Amino acid sequence: MNHPFLPCPLLCTNLRSLDFLLHANLTELEFLQVRQDAFSVISEPVMQSLPALVYLDMQGNSFTCDCDNAWFLQWVITNKQTQVSDAYNFECNFPPNLKGRKLLELDVRSCTVDVGFVCYISTACAVMVVMAVSFTHHFLQWHLVYAYYLLLAFLYNTKHKDKRAHPYDAFVSYNANDEHWVLGELLPKLEDEQGWRLCLHHRDFQPGKPIMENITDAIYGSRKTICVISHDYLASEWCSREIQVASFRLFDEQKDVLILVFLEDIPMQQLSPYHRMRRLLKRQTYLSWSRAVAHPDLFWEKLRQALETREDPASEHLLLSVGDGIPGERPDQ
């Protein structure tokens, strides 16, 4: 059978597989008869090993009617070189629910992948995802940020709910460009003269800990948060996150834990887009350094009083300005 010049007809019986044909080198075989055998799946490599096959007689065999025979079914229908005898009477013997059904009646469309349809679905899904992300970023960005920081606050409160003591009196949130004022003015007055325990980025953040975890620990580990606000502060991403966490703690705990210190007079139209700053100014303690040049002692006294006040939202708010109003806002606004 392995001889390359075997006569063209070949009759095989009592077989369980046709895989032996793969290595038989029957390149000139034209007639193959395999009747009443026990095999049920015909693989593509077997048929491809018989390039000269003209007539195939497989009467009396039964077949597996699943995707394993999908290629053979399509080959029987579409090939123009080989005539398959009595193919329309081939019957299924497996699975049980298809036993006795004609092989050529089997729907094999589910066995093939429609590349065009898959590409269409993938493209449509990608477009929808891009649109959803764009919409979310444009319209829901701050809602998601709020939810994220609220989750951080909830997790922190859950983790430290039994720890009421604060290692610091205040966390100082400031931009690096304003560090000269913090180290030269604020730190000597509050720590050296008044004796407050302050938490500062460069000095008290734990090395190696993620920056957001350091910020959250500092804000919730301090009785209050002092935000030193300037134009540089408003433009800083990390300062934005710090005041977000502090304001979320404020809204979550309903305590007077936030003190706003303005180094510069900032027009209201520049404040409105930032962190609901206008709402905070109307509800929280704020001090203006630019308006305290003539009375610096009064500024430090007001800041001391703000640090001493109870964490009670009903406590009196302290304003240091020429007249009542928000820094940078005209009296008629």
Side-chain angles (χ1 to χ4, degrees), residues 87-151:
Y88 288 95
N89 288 320
F90 291 171
E91 293 185 351
C92 305
N93 71 344
F94 186 85
N97 61 312
L98 295 179
K99 190 170 184 179
R101 186 173 176 179
K102 302 299 182 182
L103 176 65
L104 296 187
E105 295 177 358
L106 180 65
D107 186 358
V108 295
R109 288 178 296 180
S110 61
C111 298
T112 58
V113 178
D114 190 338
V115 177
F117 181 74
V118 171
C119 291
Y120 167 77
I121 293 296
S122 302
T123 303
C125 291
V127 171
M128 293 179 65
V129 168
V130 171
M131 292 178 62
V133 170
S134 301
F135 176 85
T136 302
H137 181 269
H138 186 73
F139 294 103
L140 303 177
Q141 179 181 8
W142 291 114
H143 293 79
L144 295 177
V145 172
Y146 176 83
Y148 170 70
Y149 287 122
L150 196 60
L151 176 62

Side-chain angles (χ1 to χ4, degrees), residues 254-318:
Q254 294 297 305
K255 295 180 180 179
D256 186 16
V257 295
L258 187 57
I259 303 172
L260 306 178
V261 175
F262 283 82
L263 292 185
E264 307 165 337
D265 281 342
I266 301 176
M268 179 53 59
Q269 62 268 22
Q270 295 185 23
L271 290 177
S272 297
Y274 292 97
H275 329 296
R276 298 183 175 88
M277 186 74 73
R278 189 182 182 94
R279 180 190 299 180
L280 291 175
L281 287 175
K282 290 183 177 180
R283 297 179 56 184
Q284 293 312 118
T285 299
Y286 68 86
L287 302 170
S288 175
W289 175 253
S290 62
R291 300 186 184 187
V293 176
H295 306 283
D297 293 337
L298 180 59
F299 174 89
W300 297 117
E301 175 60 20
K302 291 288 187 179
L303 185 52
R304 183 190 65 78
Q305 293 177 22
L307 287 170
E308 284 183 346
T309 56
R310 294 176 296 108
E311 298 173 358
D312 183 352
S315 61
E316 181 181 1
H317 291 170
L318 304 172

